[in-house]
Amino acid sequence: MRLLLDTHAFLWWITDDPRLSEKAREIMGDGKNQLFLSAASGWEIAIKAKLGKLKVSDNLEHFIPEQVALNAIENLPIVLSHVLHVYTLPDYHRDPFDRLLISQAQLEGLPILTVDSQISQYPVEVLW
């Protein structure tokens, strides 16, 4: 299975946070699954860390890529079609990072691993 990780799913996985569901742990721990982390999640982590809303390693530019590599997660770049597709989405969810993840999931045909119930309002498969 190929799937897109919401930012919190990635962070909860690498910190062994108990908020990560058992099903999510099984999916992420199954080496047969292909996991993707969007560049939008990296951007969100950087912004929230800079604002002090998120505590992560002081060396974010090394820590996040290291965790991505250690956990066999692939990068999903942001391309123009992803950004422009956001325009077509209904305004159920106002968070710009989540809207971009939804757009990427739709265009790339990827389910999203997320606890965010607002995302399930869109025509995208949600796993948790």
Side-chain angles (χ1 to χ4, degrees):
M1 174 186 334
R2 301 172 63 239
L3 61 121
L4 179 59
L5 304 177
D6 198 342
T7 308
H8 63 268
F10 169 72
L11 291 170
W12 293 353
W13 174 256
I14 66 172
T15 60
D16 197 28
D17 193 300
R19 292 176 287 182
L20 190 66
S21 74
E22 192 59 40
K23 180 177 180 180
R25 285 182 195 284
E26 288 175 22
I27 290 170
M28 293 181 75
D30 185 341
K32 293 181 266 180
N33 291 330
Q34 190 175 14
L35 308 175
F36 291 90
L37 183 70
S38 171
S41 291
W43 184 21
E44 181 178 19
I45 291 167
I47 288 173
K48 289 184 176 179
K50 184 71 172 175
L51 294 173
K53 294 181 176 185
L54 179 63
K55 196 121 171 107
V56 290
S57 171
D58 288 338
N59 196 340
L60 195 64
E61 291 176 284
H62 293 286
F63 177 71
I64 297 300
E66 179 180 88
Q67 290 301 312
V68 166
L70 283 172
N71 290 283
I73 298 170
E74 297 185 39
N75 293 309
L76 180 60
I78 299 168
V79 297
L80 187 58
S81 59
H82 296 152
V83 177
L84 297 177
H85 186 68
V86 169
Y87 177 79
T88 69
L89 299 177
D91 291 333
Y92 305 135
H93 206 312
R94 304 299 262 160
D95 183 282
F97 299 109
D98 288 326
R99 291 178 61 80
L100 186 50
L101 292 180
I102 293 161
S103 175
Q104 288 182 300
Q106 287 181 342
L107 292 178
E108 302 298 330
L110 298 170
I112 301 179
L113 191 66
T114 184
V115 72
D116 188 340
S117 61
Q118 286 184 303
I119 290 177
S120 63
Q121 295 177 32
Y122 293 89
V124 64
E125 184 180 356
V126 172
L127 302 172
W128 192 251

